[in-house]
Amino acid sequence: MVVERDIAGVNFTSVIHHSSYDSIKPEPGLLPHPFHVCILGASRDIGANIAYSFAKAGATSIAICAPPSEIDVSPIPANLQMLSPDLRLLYLPCDLTAPLEVEKFASQVGDVLGHLDVLIYNAGYFGPWETRTASTPHDFSAAIDVNCKGLYLATHFMLPALKKRPEYPPAVISVCSIGMHATGGPGANTAYGVSKLAQCRFLEMLAATEPSIFTAAVHPGNVKTEMGRGIPQNLFDSLPDDVNLCGDFVVWLLKERRMWLSGRYISSNWDVDELVSKKDEIVKHDKLKMRMVF
């Protein structure tokens, strides 16, 4: 994958992390109480570890959707209960591309939890490794449906639950990808890149139209995941980042509301202390957003 570093912001902070570190490691009591989290796409890898990070930080409740075939065999519920015995867990089936199913899932979550503090969209479709336009219309359509339409549906139907606690600003986070910055070269996946770029713009628009909601598109790092096993083996083996980096980063991002970061693209690899030190620069120049270059 060819990504120009100045465009992708790989080194936006001079210090880059590939695993968790003291400034972001979750500890009990980091979150307000009660604190309810919904993670869509948490059946394994990055999504599962986001759930583990919130459990470690003391989340009151976590709602997760998964394919029906995984509900009864997943180790995630047992792992979460081990990390946080008092955690309330909802683990329900849902097809995130089907409006009626997402509406039903949102209703179930709202009925049980009452309100929602955080919605995290981690569901993703990568498709086959390719170097030009999408290999088939199915791949392009599937990427748009899962990566973009699913985020819209989840946000649309979860908004009532997100707005039920006005004293604490809710948040919508999408696990995005640095791959959206690549426009050519080996491995530039058209369908994946376009759909992830759409995620980023959607969250920027949501921040503008719902200013009380914190939003961010978060790059999770370059992680070895099941979804990425279709890429060439030598590239897969070179991916350097720990699977738990993103979860710990997102907990740090949401343990208090930094509204000056809302509506922006953020990388889990960036050093959070240096990122905070850049607040004035980011706000003054409205950085970390997608813009035309003239």
Side-chain angles (χ1 to χ4, degrees):
M1 180 183 299
V2 175
V3 180
E4 295 183 37
R5 290 190 169 223
D6 58 335
I7 293 176
V10 173
N11 295 309
F12 183 70
T13 61
S14 60
V15 178
I16 298 298
H17 296 277
H18 300 290
S19 59
S20 189
Y21 51 103
D22 287 345
S23 294
I24 65 171
K25 282 186 177 177
E27 298 177 353
L30 279 180
L31 303 173
H33 186 82
F35 196 89
H36 304 315
V37 183
C38 180
I39 307 170
L40 305 180
S43 59
R44 59 179 181 261
D45 297 330
I46 293 168
N49 278 272
I50 293 174
Y52 299 155
S53 293
F54 274 100
K56 293 175 186 176
T60 311
S61 307
I62 297 178
I64 295 173
C65 76
S69 60
E70 297 181 7
I71 291 293
D72 295 327
V73 297
S74 173
I76 293 173
N79 291 342
L80 286 170
Q81 294 300 147
M82 182 174 61
L83 290 169
S84 180
D86 296 329
L87 176 73
R88 178 166 47 178
L89 175 65
L90 294 178
Y91 198 53
L92 303 168
C94 182
D95 177 353
L96 292 170
T97 67
L100 291 179
E101 288 201 30
V102 180
E103 183 177 21
K104 179 182 177 181
F105 177 82
S107 178
Q108 291 172 311
V109 171
D111 288 345
V112 174
L113 303 185
H115 79 273
L116 199 58
D117 293 292
V118 177
L119 171 63
I120 299 173
Y121 193 84
N122 180 61
Y125 179 87
F126 186 78
W129 179 257
E130 40 93 359
T131 58
R132 51 191 187 281
T133 53
S135 298
T136 68
H138 166 76
D139 295 319
F140 193 90
S141 178
I144 295 296
D145 283 350
V146 176
N147 299 341
C148 187
K149 177 184 173 183
L151 173 61
Y152 160 75
L153 290 174
T155 304
H156 174 78
F157 289 117
M158 292 288 185
L159 270 180
L162 285 163
K163 289 182 171 182
K164 279 188 175 181
R165 193 184 180 190
E167 70 275 13
Y168 189 76
V172 178
I173 303 295
S174 172
V175 176
C176 199
S177 173
I178 198 172
M180 71 180 184
H181 299 292
T183 55
N189 187 315
T190 305
Y192 187 73
V194 168
S195 59
K196 287 296 184 178
L197 185 63
Q199 279 189 356
C200 205
R201 177 63 86 182
F202 175 80
L203 290 180
E204 186 179 345
M205 296 180 72
L206 181 63
T209 56
E210 298 281 355
S212 65
I213 297 178
F214 177 88
T215 77
V218 177
H219 170 55
N222 297 307
V223 181
K224 297 180 180 72
T225 66
E226 286 299 316
M227 189 175 73
R229 286 196 175 277
I231 69 176
Q233 189 64 44
N234 63 326
L235 180 57
F236 183 84
D237 292 340
S238 72
L239 299 176
D241 298 323
D242 285 354
V243 71
N244 65 343
L245 174 64
C246 181
D248 289 1
F249 181 90
V250 170
V251 169
W252 171 86
L253 185 64
L254 298 179
K255 69 179 183 180
E256 61 182 85
R257 289 295 181 269
R258 298 174 176 87
M259 298 305 289
W260 56 274
L261 276 174
S262 187
R264 304 179 195 274
Y265 167 86
I266 308 171
S267 173
S268 298
N269 297 118
W270 295 343
D271 181 78
V272 297
D273 299 311
E274 190 176 345
L275 180 64
V276 171
S277 76
K278 289 176 173 281
K279 175 182 176 180
D280 292 343
E281 171 191 341
I282 292 168
V283 173
K284 180 180 179 180
H285 300 289
D286 207 18
K287 291 188 172 184
L288 310 181
K289 293 182 179 179
M290 303 301 151
R291 294 291 183 267
M292 292 284 290
V293 177
F294 291 101

